[in-house]
Amino acid sequence: PESIYSSEAVVSTQSTGYPSSAVKEKVVEEVNKQKGTSGGEEDAGSWTIERIRDNYLKVHIYFEELSTLEMERHPSYLISNLIGDVGGQLGLLLGMNICSLVQFTDYIIRFSFFKGFMRVLRYYKAKKRGK
């Protein structure tokens, strides 16, 4: 079965500086704690707000719709169904033909028997009259 997938995406972007000024001290402190640095300006390995803004990115992805629609195409009438239907119809017609053949044979036998019986009856009647 052939599947068809369709997707539409609406992309919109919005950007702000990360971290914001309201939480920048806390972020610097957390990053330095995770990295194991002191956080002082004199330490070369410490993470400053400029270094965090250059190296960190916070991404939020939102979807317009939380549900998806998947459509698949399937043939409604398969070739095997067609063969089965044609075979069934032929079987039905053949069965009816056999029934008709039996009825026709019965008719011929009855008609022949009746005609023969009538001949015999006429023969005996004629013989009786001739006596």
Side-chain angles (χ1 to χ4, degrees), residues 73-128:
R73 272 193 202 178
H74 297 285
S76 61
Y77 203 72
L78 299 174
I79 191 72
S80 59
N81 293 349
L82 177 66
I83 291 170
D85 287 346
V86 169
Q89 294 297 324
L90 287 176
L92 180 66
L93 293 175
L94 183 62
M96 292 302 288
N97 286 338
I98 290 173
C99 288
S100 298
L101 183 65
V102 169
Q103 288 175 348
F104 182 70
T105 309
D106 182 48
Y107 174 74
I108 294 296
I109 290 171
R110 285 183 187 204
F111 183 70
S112 298
F113 179 73
F114 184 70
K115 195 173 182 182
F117 180 70
M118 292 304 286
R119 236 186 243 160
V120 170
L121 192 61
R122 275 190 226 131
Y123 175 73
Y124 282 118
K125 280 185 181 179
K127 203 173 183 186
K128 219 179 196 186

Side-chain angles (χ1 to χ4, degrees), residues 14-129:
Q14 189 176 25
S15 63
T16 59
Y18 176 77
S20 66
S21 58
V23 292
K24 69 180 177 181
E25 287 84 19
K26 185 170 176 144
V27 171
V28 170
E29 185 180 312
E30 286 293 320
V31 170
N32 282 315
K33 190 165 91 173
Q34 287 178 2
K35 300 290 184 182
T37 56
S38 65
E41 290 290 330
E42 65 279 346
D43 189 5
S46 68
W47 287 79
T48 61
I49 192 69
E50 292 81 22
R51 189 172 175 196
I52 291 172
R53 283 188 175 156
D54 288 342
N55 290 292
Y56 276 77
L57 178 65
K58 188 174 186 179
V59 177
H60 291 279
I61 298 175
Y62 297 100
F63 297 100
E64 276 190 35
E65 290 185 28
L66 297 178
S67 62
T68 59
L69 175 66
E70 185 175 321
M71 297 174 67
E72 292 185 3
R73 272 193 202 178
H74 297 285
S76 61
Y77 203 72
L78 299 174
I79 191 72
S80 59
N81 293 349
L82 177 66
I83 291 170
D85 287 346
V86 169
Q89 294 297 324
L90 287 176
L92 180 66
L93 293 175
L94 183 62
M96 292 302 288
N97 286 338
I98 290 173
C99 288
S100 298
L101 183 65
V102 169
Q103 288 175 348
F104 182 70
T105 309
D106 182 48
Y107 174 74
I108 294 296
I109 290 171
R110 285 183 187 204
F111 183 70
S112 298
F113 179 73
F114 184 70
K115 195 173 182 182
F117 180 70
M118 292 304 286
R119 236 186 243 160
V120 170
L121 192 61
R122 275 190 226 131
Y123 175 73
Y124 282 118
K125 280 185 181 179
K127 203 173 183 186
K128 219 179 196 186
R129 283 185 200 154

